[in-house]
Every structure is written in structure tokens, then in C-alpha cells.
């Protein structure tokens, strides 16, 4: 009742303030402390000043301002009852503060750019309490959660769910300690029941799966392969030492699934309906414009250069209206399909990279052959695959040839292309890899073999290989030399074990290895591999870098005027240090070490870290548009772009992982001294970015040609600066460079 009375009093206060402002013939934004009216007219000055600012929709801000934006300490109360009190920076919650929901839930801790980010405590409406680290509104890093039902979890979190090593204690006395994945028990771990019995072994999606043992308090135990499917369950029972009877010999292992695990359910906890970053400020668009421009003397243009007028997004006296109460759980799929917005606010299709392979293109028939072969390989019925593969599946001789006559055959359909033969290398291995990488066969086939044509990138790579992209940008297809095929087949067992062991591996994901040969011709075979496209995103990749850690020849050979968003820059062109949140930096360090050790063991060198940057600062897009169209001014829809950038970012929070959609800060650097040095000095100028990165070109072994290249270039250049070096030296140099380019954000 007290809460309801307080809300009514608040509404009454707002109505009286609005009425008084109208009587004075002023807009609601004129209701600012009179003592600072001159400051605002002059643009706010350089020092924060105090205001009490009721807004047209009933919101209220009280606290410090700079350039007519919250800056310093202040409190913002939304009409729906949400409230933030704490530190601000240029209109964004930044620093330490407290956010409270009308339901009674609270978060108190660190904020960055409007997000719960850093260390903080969330107390839910139902009494659940989490105390630990956050990244962009999500529990991420070390943390402890006390559930209202008496359960407790303490350990690692990632993307809002238990992930990594952690311990869960149920209120009934059961305990689990071990590995987690996406909020479920998965990996190696031990569960101890309150009665003293325990299971130690492998888990998958919350259930025993794989090798493990069940132990009773009397010392007897059962060892075997575990599965919820009785047909896959097998093992042996061992009685305790000195036991006079077989005790539990008649026990059925399936009882663990049907009985014992019933009282080991993980509490789902409470879901947050709306995040602090989703609460927009009903503030003057002009003030935001000025703050972003860094100028207070020029007002924004009033209309978009296009047909759309951004005033349709505003209420009353020009205030930007709320985006709305977005529910991240219920509407994520719908919003996740949002396309990039142009300055007018309408969705637009970003320009596709490469040339569409249509009829008449020199590689049109090759594309048809490839699509026919993939459809045949993926579409044919195959038994369910286990992740445990026999050594015979990796045999390089394990390949299947299929004839594709134009008239069709018993196993292939008629087609309009030429007569050709199709080869699948190690088909079972690649089918299992696709399963491991969670690739749906139907989606995979549709991406490559659908009605949309492939796109050929404009020029071949340094190796002479050609690259093709699927229309949805999911997959990249690369033609290969015979030597590269041999390297991939040789390292395939180790590669499979590596990507299976390390879910966050940065090495290229391979989905298929194939060959096409036209029948009855002397034409060479065309071998190709299908890989994941690292830059498959709806963000614009503003800059891209190919980094090896070497300096000789590692600069772009294009004139500066020809460098654009599709230009791949190199080591000497890198003018940023990427600052990552602590837990991400630690994970990057661990994973790069693991990946480089794997590549070193396989005698691989000459690989690169491909890095893509999306600048979250709208000013970057503005600078690009102005540089391309001299004399034009950014449209009024600029602010809508700012809102859209944050909103689109929010839509993709669930996809953040190592190397994908990673939030970071890029600090500008400058080179001192020798123009060929890789060492640069930071300037302190920071930009918010989204990072995409991965290790590519992992099929070059240190063969005789590379040894000769190393010997020749060492005579003419500094041996430490050239790319062709021993795999061990290459790995060390690569890691040293990466750990200078990526650092922990303090």
C-alpha cells in the first residue's frame, strides 16, 4: 500500500510540474534550475552543474549534468518505477551505482556504457542473490549464487549461465563439483548424494554419459560406459573387499537416471524482464547530438537526407521515445534477425562481398557440381554417429568416389551440368565434426545448395587458392593444393581431438573436404575444403587485420586512398591495443597457448590471427559517410543510429563467446622510431568495439620449400622478421605478439 501511495505522489508531482511549465509557456526542458540557465544556453560549460529535470513522459533526473547530459553523480527515475542512482558519464551509467526494479529486485555494483559490467550483486524479487562478476548484463567470471530454495552455486559463469568449473550444493545435502556448460552439468565431475553414494565420471547435458563409476558407502562400485539409453549402457559391478555377499549385484544402472537424479534438479532461478541498458533516457536529441559531436554551437540538421524524417521517432518537444520494454528471453529470436539499419532508420541489406556466380561465369558449372555433390553427401541416410571414432575413420584412404552422369543414376539425380566425379574424404569424420560444431544438416545443405548462388571473392589468395562464400555468409569454400589436402588428412586425428577437447578453440572449423573431377578430360582435379566464415555477422566489419607476428613485408601494399572496409591490413598496419575484460583475457591467453601448442606439435607454421573490428561509436560511421561524400552533413536520423547500435548489440548478447561478438576497448597506438618495428606506444584514446577473431591458414607445414625460403631470406633480412621460421620459433613469436596486441582492461 505504501508503495502504491508513493507512486501516486510521484505522478502528482510530475503532473504539477508539467502544468506549471505549460502555464509559463515553456517546454518541459525549461524546468531546469534557474541558476544554471545561462550555462545550458551556452552549451553547458566544462564543469558539471546540478539540475532537477522532470521530463515530458513523467521521468525525472536529479543530479549533475555536463553539456545537458547526466554526468557525475545523479539519480534517474523512470515513470514505470525503475530507478538508477550512481555515477554517469555523458548520458550513460558508468562507474558504481544501484539499479532497482519496481518489482523490488536490485543490482548494486559496477556499470559500463549502460550495462551491468564488472563486480556487482543482484538480488531478485524471489530472494535469489548473485554476487560476482558481470559482462554486459550477464553473469560472467567468478560468482556465487544463493537460491531462495536453499541451493547454492559457486564457481565460473559465462554468458549468464554456469560454465566452467563450479560447485552446486542442493538444500537436501546433495553436492556436485566439476565441469559445467551453458548452465548444465557437462564434462568431468563428481556428484555425492546425501546418503554417501556418489558418481564420478563424465557428464553430458546434466546426465552421466561416457566413462564413469558409481560408488556405494559400503565400498562396492560399478564401472562402465554410461548412457540413458539402456542399449548403450554397459559395465561391471565390483563388491567391496571382504564382503560376504554380492550386495548390489542386482542393481540396475538405469536407476541412477530414473530415481537418484530426481532430487538433483538445477534451480533455474529468476529471469530479469528488462535490463538497465534497455532503459533509454527520454532526453533531448539535440543534447545527445552535441555530446557525440563534441560541439555545442551547432544544432543538428532538422531532416534526414532521405524520405524518412526521424521526428516520427520523437514525442512532444522533440524527446526521443522509449524503444520499449524489450523482453530478451521472449523476443530474442525475432530481434536477432534484425538487419543493419541505415541513417534513415529503415533496414537495409549490407553490400555483399564478392561476385555472384551466375550462368555464364567461368566457374558456374563447378559451382553446380559442388552443390550436387554436397547435397548427395549430406542428404543420404547415415547411421547416428558417436563422437568416439575408430582409427579407421581417419585413414587417408577412407574416401568415396561417386559418378554424376547428366542423365542420373541409381544413386544420383539427373542434372544440367557436365559429367563429373565427386570424392568425399573421410566422410564419417567430417559428418561427426559437423555434429560436434552443432551444425544442422538441413541448414548446412540449404546454405550451400539452396537457390542462392555462391559468391566468388575478387582475387585469389597468396597461395593461388580461390575463395567462395555462401549467400548467407555462413560458410567459406576454399580451393586447395594437393599438398594442403595431405597436411589436413595427416593432422585430422589430432585436429579432431583438439576441437573436441576445447570448445573455445580459435583454430579454423572444417566441415568437409571434397574433390571434383570432370569425366573424360585432362582437367586437373579441383579440391576444396568447407570452413566456417569468421566474419559472419550483421555488424559492419570496419577494419580487418591479418596478424602473424612477423614484420618483413607485413604491410598493406595499397595506396591509402584505396583502403576500405574490405581491405585486410597486416602487422605493421596495426594501430590498436585491444583491452579485454579480465576473464576474457585469461581465457584468450589459455586458448592461444593450447592452440599454438597443437599447431607446433603438428609442425604447422605461417598461420595468422584474423581480426575484425566493429566500432560501436556512431561517430566512426559518421566520419566514414562524411569522408566518402565531402560537403554533406550527417542526417537527423543520426541519433536513431545511436539507439539502433545499442539495441542491435543487445539483441546479440547471447552469442558472445571467445572470438565472436566480444566486447572490448581499442586503444589507439602510434609507432615510435623504426618504421618496421611492431612495438607501438598507446595514446590513451579509447573506442568501444566488437571483436571477431580466429586462427586461420593452418595447413602450411614446415616442409623443404619453407626451409629453403627461410635459408634464402635469412641472408638478406633479419631472420627474426621473416614469416618462414621453424614451428617452435613461429609459435613463440606469434604468441608474444598476440599478448602485446591483446591486454587486460584495467
Amino acid at each position: 500500500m505504501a508503495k502504491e501511495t508513493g507512486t501516486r505522489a510521484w505522478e502528482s508531482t510530475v503532473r504539477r510540474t508539467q502544468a506549471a511549465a505549460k502555464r509559463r509557456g515553456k517546454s518541459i526542458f525549461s524546468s531546469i534550475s534557474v541558476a544554471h540557465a545561462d550555462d545550458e544556453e551556452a552549451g553547458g560549460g566544462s564543469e558539471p552543474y546540478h539540475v532537477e529535470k522532470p521530463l515530458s513522459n513523467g521521468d525525472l533526473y536529479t543530479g549533475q549534468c555536463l553539456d545537458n547530459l547526466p554526468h557525475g553523480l545523479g539519480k534517474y527515475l523512470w515513470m514505470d518505477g525503475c530507478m538508477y542512482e550512481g555515477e554517469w558519464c555523458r548520458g550513460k551509467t558508468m562507474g558504481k551505482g544501484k539499479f532497482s526494479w519496481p518489482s523490488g529486485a536490485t543490482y548494486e555494483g559496477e556499470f559500463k556504457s549502460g550495462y551491468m559490467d564488472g563486480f556487482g550483486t543482484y538480488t531478485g524479487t524471489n530472494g535469489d542473490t548473485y554476487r560476482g562478476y558481470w559482462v554486459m548484463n550477464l553473469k560472467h567470471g567468478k560468482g556465487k549464487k544463493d537460491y531462495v530454495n536453499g541451493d547454492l552455486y559457486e564457481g565460473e559463469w559465462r554468458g549468464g549461465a554456469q560454465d566452467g568449473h563450479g560447485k552446486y550444493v542442493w538444500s537436501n545435502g546433495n553436492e556436485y563439483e566439476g565441469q559445467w556448460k551453458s548452465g548444465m552439468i557437462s564434462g568431468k565431475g563428481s556428484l555425492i548424494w546425501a546418503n554417501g553414494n556418489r558418481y564420478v565420471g563424465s557428464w553430458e547435458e546434466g546426465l552421466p554419459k561416457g566413462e564413469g563409476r558409481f560408488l556405494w558407502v559400503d565400498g562396492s562400485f560399478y564401472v562402465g560406459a554410461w548412457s540413458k539409453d539402456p542399449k548403450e549402457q554397459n559395465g561391471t559391478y565390483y563388491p567391496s573387499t571382504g564382503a560376504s555377499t554380492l550386495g548390489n549385484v542386482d542393481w540396475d544402472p538405469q536407476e541412477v537416471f530414473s530415481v537418484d537424479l530426481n532430487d538433483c534438479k538445477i534451480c533455474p532461478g529468476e529471469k530479469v524482464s528488462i535490463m538497465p541498458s534497455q532503459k533509454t533516457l527520454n532526453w533531448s536529441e539535440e543534447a545527445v547530438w552535441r555530446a557525440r559531436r563534441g560541439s555545442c554551437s551547432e544544432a543538428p540538421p532538422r531532416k534526414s537526407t532521405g524520405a524518412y524524417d526521424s521526428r516520427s521517432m520523437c514525442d512532444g518537444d522533440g524527446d526521443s521515445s522509449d524503444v520499449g520494454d524489450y523482453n530478451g528471453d521472449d523476443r530474442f529470436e525475432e530481434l536477432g534477425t534484425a538487419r543493419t539499419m541505415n541513417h534513415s532508420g529503415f533496414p537495409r541489406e549490407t553490400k555483399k562481398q564478392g561476385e555472384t556466380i551466375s550462368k555464364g561465369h567461368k566457374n558456374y558449372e563447378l559451382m553446380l557440381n559442388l552443390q550436387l555433390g554436397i547435397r548427395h553427401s549430406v542428404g543420404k541416410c547415415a547411421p547416428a554417429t558417436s563422437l568416439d571414432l575408430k582409427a579407421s575413420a581417419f585413414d587417408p584412404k577412407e574416401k568415396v568416389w561417386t559418378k554424376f552422369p547428366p542423365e542420373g543414376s541409381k544413386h544420383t539425380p539427373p542434372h544440367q551440368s557436365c559429367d563429373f566425379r565427386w570424392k568425399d574424404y573421410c566422410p564419417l569424420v567430417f559428418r561427426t565434426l559437423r555434429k560436434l560444431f552443432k551444425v544442422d544438416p538441413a541448414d548446412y545443405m540449404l546454405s550451400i545448395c539452396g537457390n542462392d548462388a555462391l559468391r566468388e571473392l575478387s582475387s585469389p589468395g597468396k597461395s593461388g587458392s580461390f575463395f567462395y562464400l555462401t549467400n548467407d555468409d555462413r560458410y567459406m569454400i576454399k580451393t586447395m593444393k594437393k599438398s594442403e589436402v595431405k597436411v589436413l588428412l595427416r593432422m585430422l586425428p589430432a585436429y579432431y581431438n583438439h576441437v573436441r577437447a576445447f570448445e573455445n578453440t580459435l583454430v579454423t572449423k572444417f566441415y568437409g573436404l571434397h574433390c571434383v573431377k570432370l569425366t573424360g578430360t585432362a582437367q586437373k582435379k579441383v579440391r576444396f575444403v568447407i570452413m566456417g566464415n569468421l566474419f559472419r555477422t550483421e555488424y559492419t566489419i570496419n577494419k580487418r587485420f591479418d596478424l602473424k607476428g612477423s614484420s618483413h613485408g607485413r604491410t598493406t601494399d595499397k595506396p591509402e586512398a584505396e583502403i576500405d572496409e574490405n581491405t585486410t591490413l597486416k602487422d605493421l598496419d596495426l594501430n590498436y591495443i585491444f583491452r579485454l575484460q579480465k576473464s576474457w583475457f585469461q581465457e584468450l591467453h589459455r586458448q592461444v597457448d593450447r592452440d599454438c601448442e597443437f599447431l607446433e606439435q603438428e609442425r604447422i607454421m605461417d598461420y595468422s590471427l584474423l581480426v575484425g573490428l566493429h566500432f560501436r561509436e556512431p561517430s566512426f560511421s559518421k566520419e566514414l559517410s562524411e569522408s566518402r561524400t565531402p560537403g554533406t552533413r550527417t542526417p537527423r536520423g543520426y541519433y536513431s543510429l545511436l539507439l539502433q547500435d545499442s539495441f542491435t548489440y543487445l539483441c546479440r548478447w547471447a552469442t558472445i563467446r571467445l572470438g565472436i561478438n566480444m566486447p572490448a576497448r581499442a586503444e589507439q597506438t602510434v609507432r615510435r622510431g623504426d618504421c618496421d618495428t611492431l612495438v607501438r606506444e598507446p595514446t590513451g584514446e579509447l573506442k568501444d568495439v566488437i571483436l571477431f577473431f580466429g586462427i586461420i591458414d593452418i595447413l602450411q607445414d614446415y616442409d623443404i620449400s619453407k626451409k629453403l625460403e627461410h635459408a634464402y631470406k635469412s641472408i638478406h633480412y633479419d631472420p627474426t622478421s621473416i614469416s618462414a621460421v621453424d614451428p617452435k620459433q613461429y609459435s613463440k613469436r606469434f604468441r608474444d605478439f598476440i599478448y602485446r596486441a591483446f591486454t587486460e582492461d584495467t
Side-chain angles (χ1 to χ4, degrees), residues 492-511:
L492 195 55
Y495 171 83
Y496 179 83
N497 291 332
H498 183 76
V499 298
R500 184 180 178 186
F502 303 111
E503 181 188 17
N504 283 336
T505 180
L506 296 172
V507 299
T508 305
K509 288 182 169 61
F510 294 121
Y511 298 112

Side-chain angles (χ1 to χ4, degrees), residues 582-720:
K582 182 178 180 179
S583 60
W584 280 123
F585 175 72
Q586 291 173 340
E587 179 63 25
L588 171 71
H589 206 293
R590 285 193 296 265
Q591 195 56 56
V592 168
D593 281 347
R594 293 163 179 163
D595 290 340
C596 286
E597 286 167 7
F598 156 68
L599 295 171
E600 183 182 327
Q601 289 169 5
E602 292 301 310
R603 301 287 295 167
I604 301 297
M605 44 78 67
D606 214 24
Y607 45 87
S608 310
L609 187 78
L610 185 63
V611 182
L613 280 70
H614 167 75
F615 289 90
R616 290 192 59 214
E617 281 296 331
S619 57
F620 182 85
S621 300
K622 181 180 78 69
E623 289 164 6
L624 282 179
S625 64
E626 288 185 344
S627 66
R628 292 172 181 167
T629 319
T632 61
R633 296 176 68 184
T634 309
R636 179 178 167 90
Y638 174 77
Y639 182 53
S640 66
L641 178 66
L642 172 65
L643 284 175
Q644 179 271 330
D645 182 67
S646 298
F647 192 57
T648 304
Y649 193 30
L650 177 66
C651 294
R652 290 163 175 78
W653 59 264
T655 63
I656 297 173
R657 49 187 292 253
L658 188 66
I660 302 295
N661 283 345
M662 282 191 63
R665 295 197 299 167
E667 181 173 5
Q668 194 94 30
T669 61
V670 292
R671 185 183 290 115
R672 304 292 188 195
D674 186 0
C675 62
D676 286 336
T677 181
L678 292 173
V679 179
R680 286 174 169 261
E681 295 182 11
T683 64
E685 182 182 344
L686 294 162
K687 295 183 179 181
D688 289 334
V689 296
I690 310 297
L691 291 179
F692 299 83
F693 54 84
I695 298 175
I696 63 169
D697 295 337
I698 64 170
L699 298 179
Q700 177 60 61
D701 62 350
Y702 194 54
D703 56 14
I704 186 62
S705 66
K706 286 296 178 181
K707 291 177 182 178
L708 291 173
E709 180 184 343
H710 173 77
Y712 173 77
K713 288 185 176 179
S714 295
I715 299 173
H716 298 84
Y717 310 103
D718 178 1
T720 63

Side-chain angles (χ1 to χ4, degrees), residues 83-102:
M83 183 177 74
Y84 171 81
E85 183 174 11
E87 296 176 303
W88 298 77
C89 180
R90 296 286 183 176
K92 291 184 178 180
T93 54
M94 186 83 74
K96 293 185 178 180
K98 181 178 180 180
F99 190 94
S100 57
W101 286 260

Side-chain angles (χ1 to χ4, degrees), residues 423-434:
K423 183 196 288 187
D424 270 335
Y425 294 90
C426 298
L428 179 58
V429 176
F430 286 102
R431 187 162 69 244
T432 311
L433 279 172
R434 294 194 294 270

Side-chain angles (χ1 to χ4, degrees), residues 395-436:
D395 189 337
K397 297 178 182 178
E398 186 69 16
K399 50 195 175 186
V400 179
W401 279 103
T402 304
K403 293 182 178 180
F404 278 81
E407 65 276 10
S409 68
K410 182 179 180 181
H411 303 289
T412 62
H415 58 86
Q416 297 180 349
S417 184
C418 58
D419 192 1
F420 71 96
R421 296 176 68 200
W422 169 265
K423 183 196 288 187
D424 270 335
Y425 294 90
C426 298
L428 179 58
V429 176
F430 286 102
R431 187 162 69 244
T432 311
L433 279 172
R434 294 194 294 270
K435 177 183 178 181
L436 188 66

